[in-house]
Amino acid sequence: MLWLFVSLLGGGVAGRLAPDVWPVARVADRALEAGLLVLLAMMGVRLGASERVLSNLGPLGLRAVALAAGSIAGSVLLVVAAGRYLPSLDPDGEASATPDATEGGAALPVLVLAALLFGGAVGWVAPDRVVALVAAATTPTLYALLVAVGATLAAGADVLASARRLGPAVLVLPACIALGSLAGAVLVGSAFGMASAEAAAVGAGFGWYSLSGVLVSDLHGVYLGSLTFLANVLRELLTFLVLPFVVRHFGRAAGVAPGGATAMDVTLPAVRRTAGREAVVPAVVSGATLSLLVPILIPSLI
């Protein structure tokens, strides 16, 4: 666990100290995307070589849907319960921003699926020695990825400035989303006979399926890792479906909750469209905070 923090801290230092020297954010973004695809291919190799996973795809999918729905419901309900402590997202408030389009956002799910399927095919036919080499290379590759994560988050000076204008209340939002996600996942997981720590680890992915799936696979095993991956993929997909309903019935702040960590990128346009421009900065701050929590919470839980 120590090296996880060291990697994040090292990337954060680079992101804060070097933005004027070299394009940290842009380089880190490219490294992050490439690293995720490599890690997903590695995870696919291990999935394809695992008879237990292949023989349990049906039950795995059912649990993933339930855990994703539970995480979303828990986060929305806790945000609603904490409404008086959240920053105002009224149109006349000061919290406003124009969302930046995420380049390649539409293509990323296709690339993720392609990397996973490619790795799975390799793992299915590869000898055990190749699978063992891939498993050994996963951890150092993950550390390199976390350096890029730290640099990307720390380089977001505009986001930090907006967060300061909103005040400390802006951090209540990701705290509620995190706690609600964990509680919802644990509640649903108990219905399937899952240990609380394992269900909480799935919920702690907060929709960041690529990193959380690989991280859980590396720390706990490929079966729980694949469940984490699927549940968080489905959380992102379900977010697009439920956002109009959530915003209409529970308010603007609640619209940030379903996407979890993805509210800062993939689901941000949907948050902007349904909850308005006033929700953009809180969504980015919340997504960044939850993204930082993923590699901290998951190793702490399992």
Side-chain angles (χ1 to χ4, degrees), residues 11-72:
V13 170
R16 293 302 296 162
L17 298 181
D20 295 329
V21 179
W22 59 289
V24 173
R26 186 164 61 251
V27 172
D29 281 341
R30 296 293 181 266
L32 187 59
E33 183 175 336
L36 287 176
L37 294 177
V38 171
L39 283 172
L40 283 167
M42 291 179 170
M43 182 179 175
V45 171
R46 299 168 68 186
L47 285 172
S50 173
E51 293 183 4
R52 183 186 179 193
V53 171
L54 293 177
S55 62
N56 287 279
L57 282 178
L60 200 67
L62 177 61
R63 290 191 182 195
V65 171
L67 287 165
S71 295
I72 289 175

Side-chain angles (χ1 to χ4, degrees), residues 97-99 243 267-280 283:
T98 301
L243 264 178
T267 61
L268 181 59
V271 173
R272 166 67 175 83
R273 186 167 58 252
T274 56
R277 64 189 181 91
E278 293 79 20
V280 171

Side-chain angles (χ1 to χ4, degrees), residues 180-287:
S181 296
L182 297 180
V186 169
L187 184 63
V188 170
S190 65
F192 287 93
M194 293 180 65
S196 295
E198 294 180 355
V202 175
F206 304 132
W208 193 356
Y209 52 83
S210 46
L211 178 62
S212 61
V214 172
L215 190 56
V216 172
S217 292
D218 189 53
L219 294 172
H220 192 278
V222 69
Y223 182 80
L224 187 63
S226 60
L227 177 60
T228 302
F229 176 83
L230 286 174
N232 284 281
V233 165
L234 289 167
R235 177 169 184 165
E236 180 180 299
L237 295 176
L238 288 173
T239 294
F240 290 101
L241 298 177
V242 304
L243 264 178
F245 174 86
V246 169
V247 173
R248 185 181 307 115
H249 293 281
F250 299 104
R252 294 169 180 266
V256 179
T262 69
M264 68 180 291
D265 44 53
V266 178
T267 61
L268 181 59
V271 173
R272 166 67 175 83
R273 186 167 58 252
T274 56
R277 64 189 181 91
E278 293 79 20
V280 171
V281 170
V284 173
V285 172
S286 177

